[in-house]
Amino acid sequence: MEWRCRGITWSGGAPGLRWQGGKVSPLAYGQRLAFRAVGPRRCAGARGNPCPLEAVVPGRSTGGRCAECARLDRAHSVAADTFLDDPQPYRVYLAWFGPGMTKVGITSEARGEARLLEQGAVTFSWLGRGPLMAARRTEEVLRQTLGIPDRVAYERKRAARHALPPASVRAGEVEELHRRARAVGGWTETLEPLEFAPRDHVEAFGLDGLPPLAGTVFELVDGGVVTGRLLAAAGPDLHLLAPGGRCLALDTRLMGGWALRSAGEGVAGADGVEFSVPVTPAAAPEPESAQGELF
């Protein structure tokens, strides 16, 4: 049987790897991961449906989809505003990813905190609830009025997790943003305001005591091996302790579409494996092209 990865899932508030066909392998902090990528990398499809062309996609693509499937997936997302008459309630949230890194966003009420876990929000609070378009308008008003972005780059989120301030500081930044957002007039006429109530994901992500980030895997390759001890998971990222003691991040969006096989056979033990996937050093502005040490 071929196990083709679909990336990470945060169903039930805990991380797991999704596979083609719907199976999920739970992830536990402290466990050893060891797998070999087997190519070619195939398009992950759209909205749970396989790509009819089984198109080959580039190893560095975080979307993991061909152009047509990416278009279809985007067309059915909330962000595309294609379902303006969606009757279910939505919530506006304020999320914190690191010092000075906050954003405003919306998610369906039925999904609960799943969207915040998927984005790697370390701390957040709900701001309001109501119809989709009212939530979308509020998001835009706050972005324009308060200068809050609706996106934070994954590279910045990833680095910030390794030097987090205390929980009180994290919550304090969100509380101040919540206060400023409540002071903006107009949106409370169409949405039900929600009181500030900080939720923290440090424990869920396993971020306590995370060592400094040494580098990030930026591509899987055919035959490339990844091994390491899972220290933390946040958003789409796995933070792994490499055999040599370095902490490296692997964006699971890069895993989508690859067939993955156990690396337990034919490779050395965890202390003897050499890296065979490209890694970007944390302090370097450009990726290395040469193969370095492995997980």
Side-chain angles (χ1 to χ4, degrees), residues 219-232:
E219 181 181 11
L220 296 186
V221 295
D222 184 17
V225 173
V226 172
T227 69
R229 182 163 62 87
L230 181 63
L231 299 180

Side-chain angles (χ1 to χ4, degrees), residues 7-8 41 59 61-64 154-155 158 236-237 250-257:
I8 200 171
R41 186 188 187 194
S61 167
T62 52
Y154 278 103
E155 293 78 7
R158 195 172 288 138
D237 296 330
L250 170 62
D251 187 339
T252 59
R253 295 176 301 169
L254 297 173
M255 296 167 63

Side-chain angles (χ1 to χ4, degrees), residues 32-55:
R32 178 177 178 265
L33 300 181
F35 64 84
R36 185 192 308 276
V38 180
R41 186 188 187 194
R42 301 288 183 182
C43 172
R47 317 304 294 179
N49 299 307
C51 174
L53 302 177
E54 295 188 336

Side-chain angles (χ1 to χ4, degrees), residues 157-164 207 209-214 239 247-249:
K157 298 179 188 179
R158 195 172 288 138
R161 297 178 195 134
H162 295 258
L164 293 174
L207 300 180
L210 202 60
L213 181 65
H239 294 260
C247 183
L248 300 171

